[in-house]
Amino acid sequence: MKNKTVEVKNVTRTQEMFENLSSRSMITPGIGLIHGPSGFGKTTTVTYMFNELTVSGQQPLYVRCYATDTPSSFLARVMGELGAQPMFPLRKMVDYVVQAMNERSLALFVDEADHIVSQAKTMETIRDLYDSTEQPVVLIGMEEIARRISHRKQLFNRISEWVEFAPADIEDVHLFATDLMDDRVQVGEDLLDFIRQKSGGEVRRILIALEKIERAALASGETFVDLHSWGNRPLFLNHRR
Amino acid sequence: MTKHELAWDKMKQMDRFTVTDVANAVEMDLEECRKSIKRLEKSGYLEIVSGIGVAGRPYFYRVKPEVTTTPQFGRGGTSGLKKVRSGMNGQQLIWNALRINRKLTVGTAEAVTKLNSRTIYRYLNDLEKAGYVKCQRHDRVGSNFDRTGVQNIWKLIRETGPKAPILRRGKGFWDQNEDKFYSLDGGKTVGGRTDEVA
């Protein structure tokens, strides 16, 4: 299998989301939300996009949240990203971060935002940072975050772009197969659809299945594998979820 | 047009030339001109046709007949500089991937950085020697991961900040976040910026 990021729909939508946030008009709010269950390629996509931004000279600030976070610890992490020590009282840190984000046009990525979504003060701090800088802020979390954030009207209203990581469809699975598998191996549409169904559209499971097929085909010299020729050989550890 | 570019134009017009010829022709500082010519020779644009490089018998240069491209002047004008920059950038991409994923395989890193797997493996291996990451090895030899199907996993255990530790080959890492130098023998700290190992 080749190691590369395949630009399936979830990836292109995430890239579009950030482009839209960066090039939005003055009247459009600039908070983005990336959410979805684990295993759908969220982290890989975020890393890929983060690196693309780094290469273009716009490395954003990246903060990972923890369940024990408070406004103080959250701001201290952002300060760490800026290479600065925490300051007290908290407003000094807010001022410092706002100034740095404005001066250097820095976007802010907040990963594992589920942990702080129920903490009014931390969420309000993020909203303050956004309101004072108008730099793109991207919140990243699991599937439940969208529902939970909808209760925070002030913040929810500022989310102009969102990407819900959806299960891979047949086009995506096809793209994974053509982009990642050895050129000597072709996989039939019926087997690809079988993989999509049994994996529940989870990228990790799809890749495991494709790798199994590729290895088996290369070992046996097969150039085309479909559902019939694959037979009942196992593809996944467990078919039921 | 800079003096270096003017000098290059002059060199192309002359069949053979010494450093002094070019420096006088474009009114350039002699030592500056010597550096420029040496750099062009090193980059493969010029060749020595005669002389031994001593007073009275200076080197005579000429532009290599097969040269059709124009050298790049200014920042990034030498291959050496370019190499260092792209390497630094690559290390930053691997470091970003480590920070976001916390656990990383060479395969994942390759997918999100577009770097060569060997480059990634070397950087991760050196990070491990300096105590930044811990490797969960599934194989004896790092390079056979593709055959076994199970990849080594590197786990970030010392996250110092957003800037990638700069590898000083054979010595250790300069940590830009902490202003500390971590040696490759288990990450022994050598000290702050002033105690840095040269």
Side-chain angles (χ1 to χ4, degrees):
Chain A
M1 292 280 277
K2 296 166 199 160
N3 291 314
K4 63 182 217 180
T5 301
V6 181
E7 300 209 340
V8 291
K9 291 185 193 73
N10 286 336
V11 178
T12 52
R13 283 164 54 217
T14 309
Q15 286 170 324
E16 276 166 24
M17 182 203 81
F18 194 79
E19 271 171 37
N20 292 343
L21 286 180
S22 305
S23 59
R24 70 191 194 280
S25 69
M26 290 290 281
I27 52 163
T28 314
I31 298 185
L33 178 66
I34 297 172
H35 64 111
S38 80
F40 283 9
K42 234 174 25 253
T43 309
T44 307
T45 306
V46 168
T47 315
Y48 180 65
M49 192 174 73
F50 196 91
N51 275 344
E52 281 193 330
L53 291 168
T54 302
V55 169
S56 66
Q58 305 168 286
Q59 183 171 335
L61 301 172
Y62 173 83
V63 179
R64 180 195 304 281
C65 298
Y66 291 86
T68 49
D69 266 339
T70 60
S72 170
S73 64
F74 174 80
L75 282 168
R77 280 187 221 291
V78 184
M79 292 290 280
E81 286 293 294
L82 293 165
Q85 293 296 319
M87 297 174 192
F88 295 96
L90 295 188
R91 64 171 173 75
K92 281 191 180 173
M93 285 204 270
V94 173
D95 290 345
Y96 185 92
V97 173
V98 166
Q99 193 183 346
M101 282 177 73
N102 274 329
E103 276 175 8
R104 289 150 62 183
S105 299
L106 295 169
L108 173 64
F109 279 44
V110 183
D111 202 356
E112 310 282 2
D114 313 65
H115 290 312
I116 52 163
V117 76
S118 56
Q119 295 175 23
K121 217 169 168 196
T122 312
M123 294 310 278
E124 292 303 304
T125 305
I126 293 176
R127 183 169 70 89
D128 284 345
L129 293 180
Y130 168 71
D131 283 350
S132 311
T133 62
E134 303 230 323
Q135 294 296 332
V137 172
V138 180
L139 304 172
I140 304 150
M142 304 285 277
E143 64 259 60
E144 276 295 288
I145 193 174
R147 186 185 58 76
R148 290 167 68 194
I149 225 166
S150 66
H151 300 308
R152 306 203 168 280
K153 213 169 176 185
Q154 296 288 339
L155 190 71
F156 194 65
N157 289 342
R158 285 165 173 77
I159 296 175
S160 60
E161 297 283 335
W162 58 93
V163 177
E164 181 177 3
F165 268 60
D169 61 16
I170 188 65
E171 275 181 36
D172 291 338
V173 182
H174 202 275
L175 208 55
F176 281 128
T178 48
D179 278 19
L180 299 180
M181 289 180 81
D182 192 292
D183 299 334
R184 290 166 288 177
V185 182
Q186 301 287 315
V187 184
E189 287 291 327
D190 54 353
L191 184 52
L192 291 177
D193 198 42
F194 178 78
I195 292 170
R196 183 191 61 80
Q197 284 174 37
K198 296 295 180 189
S199 65
E202 264 187 55
V203 177
R204 270 185 216 143
R205 287 161 62 88
I206 292 168
L207 298 186
I208 290 170
L210 292 177
E211 185 157 15
K212 269 192 186 303
I213 294 168
E214 185 193 81
R215 281 176 195 283
L218 289 176
S220 62
E222 290 170 278
T223 54
F224 181 78
V225 187
D226 62 5
L227 196 54
H228 177 72
S229 62
W230 184 255
N232 55 5
R233 284 178 278 178
L235 271 178
F236 303 101
L237 186 61
N238 182 4
H239 282 183
R240 280 175 299 174
R241 290 204 70 209
Chain B
M1 196 180 250
T2 64
K3 283 258 164 112
H4 295 278
E5 285 166 293
L6 277 174
W8 169 246
D9 274 351
K10 201 75 203 169
M11 289 178 226
K12 281 194 295 185
Q13 289 162 19
M14 293 192 272
D15 289 338
R16 39 186 260 152
F17 52 85
T18 63
V19 172
T20 318
D21 295 338
V22 180
N24 289 340
V26 296
E27 293 176 5
M28 194 178 183
D29 176 75
L30 191 68
E31 287 314 308
E32 201 61 30
C33 186
R34 195 184 312 281
K35 269 191 214 164
S36 190
I37 286 178
K38 284 281 173 203
R39 201 178 300 135
L40 289 168
E41 187 206 342
K42 209 173 164 187
S43 316
Y45 289 95
L46 304 179
E47 63 186 359
I48 296 168
V49 282
S50 63
I52 54 168
V54 295
R57 291 181 66 190
Y59 285 130
F60 275 85
Y61 297 88
R62 70 168 180 174
V63 176
K64 282 187 180 174
E66 66 270 23
V67 167
T68 50
T69 54
T70 308
Q72 193 186 339
F73 295 98
R75 278 175 69 93
T78 66
S79 56
L81 272 177
K82 266 185 192 164
K83 225 179 193 173
V84 171
R85 278 221 303 274
S86 74
M88 290 292 300
N89 206 13
Q91 291 175 14
Q92 184 64 54
L93 301 183
I94 302 168
W95 183 248
N96 288 348
L98 261 174
R99 290 187 72 223
I100 298 175
N101 290 266
R102 285 190 283 189
K103 282 179 186 175
L104 200 62
T105 63
V106 172
T108 312
E110 206 181 340
V112 296
T113 61
K114 298 178 185 170
L115 295 171
N116 177 294
S117 61
R118 209 59 220 159
T119 310
I120 297 166
Y121 182 78
R122 278 192 199 144
Y123 187 65
L124 290 173
N125 225 16
D126 284 334
L127 281 178
E128 188 189 9
K129 286 181 194 161
Y132 281 95
V133 295
K134 200 170 179 177
C135 182
Q136 192 184 333
R137 285 193 164 74
H138 292 285
D139 50 13
R140 282 189 186 170
V141 186
S143 57
N144 77 350
F145 63 83
D146 204 38
R147 261 181 289 141
T148 59
V150 186
Q151 297 192 20
N152 294 343
I153 299 169
W154 278 269
K155 191 179 173 195
L156 184 61
I157 53 172
R158 189 199 296 137
E159 216 245 74
T160 56
K163 292 178 187 167
I166 301 169
L167 177 61
R168 299 215 169 139
R169 209 162 285 287
K171 291 180 183 172
F173 283 92
W174 174 249
D175 195 301
Q176 309 174 76
N177 304 299
E178 294 184 336
D179 281 357
K180 272 186 192 167
F181 185 83
Y182 289 95
S183 66
L184 290 181
D185 53 351
K188 220 189 299 171
T189 313
V190 175
R193 195 177 287 278
T194 47
D195 303 320
E196 182 194 345
V197 171

